[in-house]
Amino acid sequence: MSTVSRYGALALALLFIAPTAWAQDYTQGDLKIVRPWARETARMARAGGAFMTIENTGGAPDRLLKAASPVAARTEVHTVIQDGDVMRMREVPAIDLAPKAKVELKPGGYHVMLMELKAPLKAGDRFPLTLTFEKAGTITVDISVEKLSGTAPDHGKMKH
Ligand SMILES: [Cu+2]
């Protein structure tokens, strides 16, 4: 099935569930991708972060190598490091997924950086994100854009 028709079917299915019930998990080979989401961005922001938990249920290590999305011209895999009293983002070549490990991509830590956004990400929107793993291959997940309360770092404003 093509990505386009899969998303068409997904959009149709969404008509029948309440938005608050949205919390789709995905399985790809030995990997489970739990609750993929992105933070709403400010109106003029050109970058945003996407987050999820990736669980490796298998007995062999895997790695998240890259991500891509039609909402961003460029996508990188980032971590956040503390540099004095400044938090900075760094691109990483991959995120290691050890056997039986659960790796959380979250604000202030690992994230998928959506760069050169074509439009701001608005709470309630959804968009596809394609993840490429070394062993498990490629999977497209549906990202739900959410408002983020609290003081988690705003990835659109952080230094690189
Ligand atoms: Cu980043």
Side-chain angles (χ1 to χ4, degrees), residues 5-28:
S5 62
R6 192 161 58 227
Y7 274 91
L10 196 57
L12 200 63
L14 286 173
L15 294 173
F16 301 99
I17 59 166
T20 48
W22 180 257
Q24 172 135 24
D25 299 342
Y26 298 82
T27 302
Q28 172 80 359

Side-chain angles (χ1 to χ4, degrees), residues 3-69:
T3 303
V4 171
S5 62
R6 192 161 58 227
Y7 274 91
L10 196 57
L12 200 63
L14 286 173
L15 294 173
F16 301 99
I17 59 166
T20 48
W22 180 257
Q24 172 135 24
D25 299 342
Y26 298 82
T27 302
Q28 172 80 359
D30 286 336
L31 302 181
K32 222 172 108 184
I33 295 145
V34 181
R35 211 177 81 83
W37 66 285
R39 188 186 180 179
E40 184 176 50
T41 59
R43 204 160 50 87
M44 300 304 284
R46 301 292 329 270
F51 314 98
M52 68 203 71
T53 298
I54 305 171
E55 199 180 335
N56 183 357
T57 61
D62 204 341
R63 305 197 311 156
L64 172 63
L65 300 177
K66 60 178 181 175
S69 176

Side-chain angles (χ1 to χ4, degrees), residues 48 78-80 89-90 111-113 155 160:
H78 281 182
T79 189
V80 173
M89 299 194 285
R90 286 276 183 277
H111 56 280
V112 171
M113 193 83 197
H155 289 73
H160 282 86

